[in-house]
Amino acid sequence: MLKETRKTDPEVAALVDEELDRQEHNIEMIASESTAPLPVMELSGSVFTNKTLEGYPGARFQAGSHVADKLENLACERAKALFGADCANIQSYSGSTANYSIYASILEPGDKILSMRLDQGGHLTHGSPANWVSKIYNFEFYSIDKETELIDYDGMEAKAKEFQPKLIIAGASSYSRLIDYERISKIAKEVGAYFMVDMAHIAGLVAAGVIPSPIPYADFVSSSTTKTFCGARSGMVFCKKEHEKLLKKGTFPGALGSMHLNTMAAKCWSFKYAASDEFKAIMKQVVANAKCLAQELTNYGFRIVSGGTDNHLLVADLRNKKITGKTFQNALDAVGITVNKNMVPFDPEKPGVTSGVRIGLTAVTQRGLKEPEIKEIAAIMNQVANAPEDEANLAACKAKAEALIAKFPLYPAGLSVIKQTSKFHR
Ligand SMILES: Cc1ncc(COP(=O)(O)O)c(C=O)c1O
């Protein structure tokens, strides 16, 4: 790997080596991250990248499509079978563009959308003032309940009746609990709205059957194919049969241009892999590890938002520990544990500071960490939180974190070529 790059551009090859080294020696706990299996890396760099193609199998704008047609058909069939969906459109380039293609399929400028408050877990593409969608559509937001820190479904229903949205969106970037899709689909039906679920974060857990699927309840389901799905840096959309034509048109030419056939090939591989016992076991362990970390941190006096987790992530409220999200993120980074600062519900701190951190368990679980190691990580986190500016404390924590992760290679059986030639490899 990187053979040609090493010869022609050692500078960029060195950056890849350096990033590999960073990932290898860090405990990566960003909730949206995972490790792409080697076939995903191979296929993402395959000759399919050379082919420009627009349209759909049987109705292409360019010639030379017969092989790509077979690929897209195979990938769609695998995706539908994996998720039990009527229709799959896998032309999206990412989770964000997957959302844009749904909007392009069913909405007109000025249409109303009801989505989750962004500071309580919603995503930029669900109506952030900083995202272009807020200039085109009219957004209103539902909240979580202050006491339980779960979605306030009664409040959502009241808002939906008052606001009369054309679309209701469920799905979040930092919500650690199961979502009651059945309840939201009833609310959507009552007000005559489409119901869309953005399962970007949880698609791997859904594919593995570890948590309930939104597919039976939603008109449209969008997703990234990274995050818990552990695949290519890309996206996908599912819909009910009656919306298939709308989604096709909304995706191309509505929202996208030519397909990224290289990542489509990688997604095709992932749709097969995600049905394997190996993947299902990893996803089961991801949730077990997340529950374990939530419990351990609670034992150390951290407050976990909503009291725990049902999925791959948790949000720790640090106010008991008298530190901010920013300070904790930076101190953990210094010891080789990567998390991100995150607003807690009704957070008094600014978004750049925050009272919490979001912690994800997917990448470490892929490396083989189980409950005993998760307990060690919780102990290190607690030690860091107790003295985040004490250099000696951070050095001691760093030594513990490095020793722990060294036992679990990022790519146990692979990437030896990169490793052998990396000057950074220790
Ligand atoms: C809920 C949700 N939707 C969509 C996205 C965007 O996905 P992508 O980064 O693949 O565009 C994210 C990214 O974190 C997300 O959390």
Side-chain angles (χ1 to χ4, degrees):
M1 213 169 288
L2 292 188
K3 216 169 100 209
E4 295 305 317
T5 311
R6 276 184 214 295
K7 279 192 254 165
T8 53
D9 192 341
E11 207 175 353
V12 76
L15 290 175
V16 176
D17 289 342
E18 195 175 345
E19 175 59 13
L20 173 67
D21 187 73
R22 190 194 67 78
Q23 291 182 17
E24 178 82 56
H25 297 286
N26 267 261
I27 299 179
E28 296 290 322
M29 302 186 89
I30 302 281
S32 46
E33 290 184 3
S34 53
T35 307
L38 286 176
V40 167
M41 308 255 269
E42 277 177 8
L43 290 164
S44 298
S46 67
V47 289
F48 272 116
T49 201
N50 299 337
K51 180 71 193 137
T52 296
L53 203 56
E54 294 164 323
Y56 292 97
R60 300 293 194 187
F61 284 76
Q62 295 83 4
S65 71
H66 62 284
V67 186
D69 285 0
K70 285 192 236 173
L71 174 69
E72 187 169 6
N73 284 332
L74 179 64
C76 279
E77 286 312 311
R78 285 184 180 177
K80 282 193 287 181
L82 179 67
F83 287 98
D86 293 349
C87 307
N89 189 310
I90 42 153
Q91 295 201 359
S92 297
Y93 312 142
S94 65
S96 304
T97 50
N99 290 344
Y100 300 151
S101 69
I102 296 175
Y103 302 162
S105 301
I106 54 172
L107 300 176
E108 297 296 331
D111 275 349
K112 296 180 193 171
I113 305 179
L114 181 62
S115 66
M116 189 171 190
R117 265 179 65 163
L118 305 176
D119 58 352
Q120 296 181 355
H123 185 251
L124 277 176
T125 56
H126 302 177
S128 161
N131 189 282
W132 67 273
V133 294
S134 66
K135 298 187 180 74
I136 307 291
Y137 309 115
N138 181 2
F139 284 89
E140 182 60 63
F141 301 95
Y142 59 87
S143 314
I144 61 167
D145 180 90
K146 216 166 186 171
E147 287 301 308
T148 60
E149 298 182 311
L150 305 178
I151 292 171
D152 173 6
Y153 295 98
D154 291 339
M156 177 197 287
E157 184 170 357
K159 266 225 165 112
K161 283 182 176 158
E162 188 194 327
F163 184 57
Q164 292 290 314
K166 187 165 178 187
L167 173 66
I168 299 180
I169 305 177
S173 299
S174 58
Y175 188 69
S176 62
R177 294 305 195 169
L178 301 181
I179 295 176
D180 188 345
Y181 304 121
E182 190 174 2
R183 172 99 201 256
I184 305 177
S185 76
K186 282 189 186 140
I187 296 172
K189 276 203 185 78
E190 244 186 289
V191 300
Y194 289 104
F195 175 33
M196 156 187 166
V197 174
D198 177 344
M199 64 168 181
H201 261 267
I202 53 168
L205 304 174
V206 169
V210 170
I211 62 170
S213 170
I215 298 278
Y217 302 103
D219 294 294
F220 296 89
V221 176
S222 63
S223 188
S224 300
T225 48
T226 48
K227 305 185 174 61
T228 52
F229 198 63
C230 305
R233 198 145 277 283
S234 192
M236 56 186 167
V237 184
F238 301 92
C239 73
K240 297 247 176 279
K241 189 77 193 152
E242 62 263 35
H243 306 313
E244 185 176 23
K245 273 197 186 142
L246 284 176
L247 180 63
K248 272 190 159 173
K249 214 167 141 212
T251 303
F252 178 85
L256 307 178
S258 64
M259 296 183 294
H260 293 183
L261 285 163
N262 51 329
T263 51
M264 189 178 282
K267 284 186 276 190
C268 191
W269 180 88
S270 292
F271 295 138
K272 185 175 175 192
Y273 175 61
S276 69
D277 289 343
E278 178 183 304
F279 183 77
K280 287 178 185 166
I282 293 171
M283 289 297 112
K284 207 168 155 211
Q285 189 63 45
V286 165
V287 178
N289 282 350
K291 284 184 188 294
C292 174
L293 184 62
Q295 187 55 55
E296 287 297 303
L297 290 178
T298 304
N299 296 346
Y300 283 118
F302 291 79
R303 192 188 79 83
I304 305 303
V305 170
S306 83
T309 178
D310 301 317
N311 60 24
H312 63 300
L313 67 83
L314 54 107
V315 178
D317 180 343
L318 306 165
R319 284 174 290 183
N320 287 348
K321 291 289 191 181
K322 309 267 180 276
I323 53 171
T324 65
K326 185 178 176 189
T327 304
F328 197 40
Q329 173 188 303
N330 292 342
L332 285 176
D333 198 27
V335 309
I337 299 178
T338 319
V339 302
N340 62 275
K341 60 181 179 292
N342 207 88
M343 303 287 272
V344 300
F346 309 100
D347 201 325
E349 294 286 355
K350 293 197 187 82
V353 179
T354 80
S355 298
V357 288
R358 185 186 68 160
I359 310 174
L361 280 296
T362 313
V364 289
T365 308
Q366 285 178 287
R367 289 177 83 152
L369 278 71
K370 293 204 166 85
E371 286 85 344
E373 294 82 29
I374 299 304
K375 288 179 183 174
E376 281 187 56
I377 291 176
I380 298 171
M381 285 180 166
N382 185 49
Q383 195 178 334
V384 170
N386 287 342
E389 271 142 25
D390 178 335
E391 297 279 327
N393 181 46
L394 295 186
C397 290
K398 188 173 168 62
K400 284 185 197 173
E402 273 186 357
L404 171 62
I405 204 63
K407 291 183 233 149
F408 298 89
L410 185 67
Y411 285 100
L415 288 197
S416 54
V417 178
I418 287 188
K419 286 179 181 168
Q420 278 157 16
T421 49
S422 169
K423 68 180 163 121
F424 293 96
H425 186 60
R426 286 172 250 180

Tab-separated table of all heavy atoms in Angstrom, residues 100 102-113 132-133 135-139 166-167 194 246 249:
chain	number	residue	atom	x	y	z
A	100	TYR	N	-29.870	15.665	2.087
A	100	TYR	CA	-30.227	16.648	1.052
A	100	TYR	C	-31.060	15.988	-0.053
A	100	TYR	O	-31.977	16.597	-0.599
A	100	TYR	CB	-28.974	17.289	0.440
A	100	TYR	CG	-28.092	18.028	1.424
A	100	TYR	CD1	-26.711	18.134	1.228
A	100	TYR	CD2	-28.634	18.635	2.568
A	100	TYR	CE1	-25.904	18.806	2.127
A	100	TYR	CE2	-27.826	19.306	3.472
A	100	TYR	CZ	-26.457	19.385	3.251
A	100	TYR	OH	-25.663	20.049	4.144
A	102	ILE	N	-33.131	13.528	0.211
A	102	ILE	CA	-34.529	13.345	0.668
A	102	ILE	C	-35.274	14.678	0.600
A	102	ILE	O	-36.405	14.750	0.105
A	102	ILE	CB	-34.573	12.758	2.100
A	102	ILE	CG1	-33.955	11.358	2.109
A	102	ILE	CG2	-36.020	12.700	2.607
A	102	ILE	CD1	-33.838	10.728	3.487
A	103	TYR	N	-34.630	15.752	1.078
A	103	TYR	CA	-35.286	17.064	1.019
A	103	TYR	C	-35.640	17.396	-0.441
A	103	TYR	O	-36.736	17.870	-0.733
A	103	TYR	CB	-34.385	18.173	1.582
A	103	TYR	CG	-33.934	17.989	3.016
A	103	TYR	CD1	-32.845	18.687	3.533
A	103	TYR	CD2	-34.604	17.117	3.884
A	103	TYR	CE1	-32.425	18.538	4.839
A	103	TYR	CE2	-34.182	16.957	5.201
A	103	TYR	CZ	-33.090	17.661	5.669
A	103	TYR	OH	-32.671	17.499	6.968
A	104	ALA	N	-34.668	17.136	-1.343
A	104	ALA	CA	-34.901	17.462	-2.762
A	104	ALA	C	-36.037	16.608	-3.341
A	104	ALA	O	-36.681	17.017	-4.309
A	104	ALA	CB	-33.611	17.255	-3.563
A	105	SER	N	-36.264	15.438	-2.747
A	105	SER	CA	-37.294	14.534	-3.268
A	105	SER	C	-38.710	14.993	-2.931
A	105	SER	O	-39.630	14.784	-3.711
A	105	SER	CB	-37.117	13.126	-2.684
A	105	SER	OG	-35.860	12.622	-3.000
A	106	ILE	N	-38.880	15.604	-1.740
A	106	ILE	CA	-40.272	15.814	-1.275
A	106	ILE	C	-40.610	17.247	-0.883
A	106	ILE	O	-41.770	17.531	-0.599
A	106	ILE	CB	-40.576	14.888	-0.052
A	106	ILE	CG1	-39.533	15.079	1.056
A	106	ILE	CG2	-40.670	13.431	-0.491
A	106	ILE	CD1	-39.876	14.343	2.345
A	107	LEU	N	-39.611	18.132	-0.824
A	107	LEU	CA	-39.894	19.470	-0.287
A	107	LEU	C	-39.768	20.562	-1.351
A	107	LEU	O	-38.993	20.433	-2.304
A	107	LEU	CB	-38.930	19.784	0.864
A	107	LEU	CG	-38.965	18.842	2.075
A	107	LEU	CD1	-37.873	19.232	3.072
A	107	LEU	CD2	-40.333	18.846	2.756
A	108	GLU	N	-40.526	21.638	-1.128
A	108	GLU	CA	-40.398	22.865	-1.918
A	108	GLU	C	-39.851	23.944	-0.989
A	108	GLU	O	-40.056	23.859	0.230
A	108	GLU	CB	-41.778	23.323	-2.422
A	108	GLU	CG	-42.462	22.357	-3.374
A	108	GLU	CD	-41.696	22.195	-4.673
A	108	GLU	OE1	-41.011	23.154	-5.079
A	108	GLU	OE2	-41.755	21.093	-5.253
A	109	PRO	N	-39.194	24.974	-1.555
A	109	PRO	CA	-38.720	26.064	-0.687
A	109	PRO	C	-39.859	26.599	0.186
A	109	PRO	O	-40.990	26.736	-0.279
A	109	PRO	CB	-38.241	27.125	-1.687
A	109	PRO	CG	-37.864	26.343	-2.900
A	109	PRO	CD	-38.821	25.184	-2.957
A	110	GLY	N	-39.538	26.832	1.450
A	110	GLY	CA	-40.545	27.372	2.380
A	110	GLY	C	-41.297	26.293	3.147
A	110	GLY	O	-41.995	26.609	4.111
A	111	ASP	N	-41.163	25.038	2.735
A	111	ASP	CA	-41.866	23.961	3.440
A	111	ASP	C	-41.358	23.827	4.880
A	111	ASP	O	-40.211	24.162	5.193
A	111	ASP	CB	-41.686	22.629	2.698
A	111	ASP	CG	-42.711	22.471	1.578
A	111	ASP	OD1	-43.671	23.276	1.528
A	111	ASP	OD2	-42.550	21.560	0.752
A	112	LYS	N	-42.251	23.287	5.731
A	112	LYS	CA	-41.941	23.228	7.171
A	112	LYS	C	-41.388	21.866	7.577
A	112	LYS	O	-41.928	20.824	7.175
A	112	LYS	CB	-43.214	23.496	7.973
A	112	LYS	CG	-43.795	24.880	7.779
A	112	LYS	CD	-45.040	24.958	8.635
A	112	LYS	CE	-45.885	26.159	8.303
A	112	LYS	NZ	-47.173	26.046	9.008
A	113	ILE	N	-40.343	21.908	8.421
A	113	ILE	CA	-39.710	20.679	8.920
A	113	ILE	C	-39.635	20.755	10.448
A	113	ILE	O	-39.217	21.778	11.004
A	113	ILE	CB	-38.277	20.516	8.365
A	113	ILE	CG1	-38.268	20.564	6.828
A	113	ILE	CG2	-37.640	19.218	8.870
A	113	ILE	CD1	-36.880	20.433	6.204
A	132	TRP	N	-27.076	25.669	4.909
A	132	TRP	CA	-27.908	26.294	3.867
A	132	TRP	C	-29.373	25.870	3.939
A	132	TRP	O	-30.251	26.613	3.539
A	132	TRP	CB	-27.336	25.988	2.471
A	132	TRP	CG	-27.435	24.532	2.087
A	132	TRP	CD1	-26.538	23.552	2.365
A	132	TRP	CD2	-28.510	23.899	1.390
A	132	TRP	NE1	-26.976	22.347	1.899
A	132	TRP	CE2	-28.184	22.532	1.280
A	132	TRP	CE3	-29.715	24.339	0.847
A	132	TRP	CZ2	-29.028	21.602	0.662
A	132	TRP	CZ3	-30.547	23.415	0.228
A	132	TRP	CH2	-30.198	22.064	0.135
A	133	VAL	N	-29.657	24.671	4.477
A	133	VAL	CA	-31.043	24.200	4.481
A	133	VAL	C	-31.972	25.143	5.265
A	133	VAL	O	-33.146	25.272	4.941
A	133	VAL	CB	-31.190	22.749	5.023
A	133	VAL	CG1	-30.526	21.752	4.105
A	133	VAL	CG2	-30.702	22.621	6.442
A	135	LYS	N	-31.923	28.242	5.181
A	135	LYS	CA	-32.296	29.400	4.342
A	135	LYS	C	-33.428	29.026	3.374
A	135	LYS	O	-34.107	29.885	2.829
A	135	LYS	CB	-31.083	29.881	3.547
A	135	LYS	CG	-29.942	30.370	4.418
A	135	LYS	CD	-28.841	30.981	3.561
A	135	LYS	CE	-27.692	31.482	4.393
A	135	LYS	NZ	-26.834	30.414	4.934
A	136	ILE	N	-33.584	27.727	3.143
A	136	ILE	CA	-34.557	27.276	2.133
A	136	ILE	C	-35.866	26.818	2.792
A	136	ILE	O	-36.942	27.069	2.285
A	136	ILE	CB	-33.983	26.076	1.326
A	136	ILE	CG1	-32.614	26.414	0.750
A	136	ILE	CG2	-34.945	25.614	0.233
A	136	ILE	CD1	-32.627	27.434	-0.345
A	137	TYR	N	-35.733	26.088	3.912
A	137	TYR	CA	-36.915	25.508	4.547
A	137	TYR	C	-37.171	26.197	5.882
A	137	TYR	O	-36.298	26.866	6.442
A	137	TYR	CB	-36.732	23.997	4.744
A	137	TYR	CG	-36.313	23.285	3.483
A	137	TYR	CD1	-35.062	22.664	3.377
A	137	TYR	CD2	-37.156	23.262	2.371
A	137	TYR	CE1	-34.670	22.034	2.205
A	137	TYR	CE2	-36.767	22.635	1.189
A	137	TYR	CZ	-35.523	22.031	1.115
A	137	TYR	OH	-35.128	21.417	-0.049
A	138	ASN	N	-38.363	25.955	6.405
A	138	ASN	CA	-38.811	26.613	7.628
A	138	ASN	C	-38.755	25.569	8.765
A	138	ASN	O	-39.576	24.650	8.780
A	138	ASN	CB	-40.232	27.116	7.337
A	138	ASN	CG	-40.830	27.834	8.500
A	138	ASN	OD1	-40.196	28.007	9.539
A	138	ASN	ND2	-42.087	28.241	8.342
A	139	PHE	N	-37.787	25.700	9.661
A	139	PHE	CA	-37.580	24.676	10.698
A	139	PHE	C	-38.188	25.069	12.040
A	139	PHE	O	-38.132	26.225	12.451
A	139	PHE	CB	-36.074	24.427	10.909
A	139	PHE	CG	-35.441	23.596	9.828
A	139	PHE	CD1	-34.909	24.196	8.692
A	139	PHE	CD2	-35.389	22.214	9.931
A	139	PHE	CE1	-34.330	23.433	7.686
A	139	PHE	CE2	-34.818	21.451	8.937
A	139	PHE	CZ	-34.283	22.060	7.801
A	166	LYS	N	-44.360	19.538	7.027
A	166	LYS	CA	-44.493	18.592	5.904
A	166	LYS	C	-43.592	17.380	6.152
A	166	LYS	O	-43.781	16.320	5.567
A	166	LYS	CB	-44.110	19.292	4.605
A	166	LYS	CG	-44.376	18.447	3.372
A	166	LYS	CD	-44.334	19.286	2.117
A	166	LYS	CE	-44.555	18.452	0.876
A	166	LYS	NZ	-44.343	19.253	-0.335
A	167	LEU	N	-42.573	17.583	7.016
A	167	LEU	CA	-41.615	16.506	7.303
A	167	LEU	C	-41.243	16.526	8.781
A	167	LEU	O	-40.974	17.599	9.336
A	167	LEU	CB	-40.346	16.716	6.454
A	167	LEU	CG	-39.159	15.794	6.713
A	167	LEU	CD1	-39.485	14.347	6.329
A	167	LEU	CD2	-37.920	16.260	5.939
A	194	TYR	N	-44.540	13.683	6.171
A	194	TYR	CA	-43.620	12.568	5.922
A	194	TYR	C	-42.816	12.345	7.199
A	194	TYR	O	-42.541	13.281	7.944
A	194	TYR	CB	-42.626	12.916	4.817
A	194	TYR	CG	-43.195	12.986	3.421
A	194	TYR	CD1	-43.424	14.215	2.812
A	194	TYR	CD2	-43.461	11.828	2.697
A	194	TYR	CE1	-43.910	14.294	1.508
A	194	TYR	CE2	-43.949	11.898	1.396
A	194	TYR	CZ	-44.171	13.130	0.810
A	194	TYR	OH	-44.652	13.205	-0.460
A	246	LEU	N	-39.929	9.316	-6.386
A	246	LEU	CA	-39.565	10.639	-5.846
A	246	LEU	C	-38.109	10.645	-5.403
A	246	LEU	O	-37.354	11.585	-5.670
A	246	LEU	CB	-40.449	10.963	-4.632
A	246	LEU	CG	-41.885	11.402	-4.884
A	246	LEU	CD1	-42.619	11.568	-3.562
A	246	LEU	CD2	-41.905	12.719	-5.659
A	249	LYS	N	-35.537	10.650	-8.358
A	249	LYS	CA	-35.444	11.960	-9.009
A	249	LYS	C	-34.773	12.978	-8.078
A	249	LYS	O	-33.967	13.802	-8.498
A	249	LYS	CB	-36.861	12.432	-9.361
A	249	LYS	CG	-36.918	13.239	-10.626
A	249	LYS	CD	-38.364	13.394	-11.076
A	249	LYS	CE	-38.504	14.809	-11.594
A	249	LYS	NZ	-39.792	15.387	-11.401
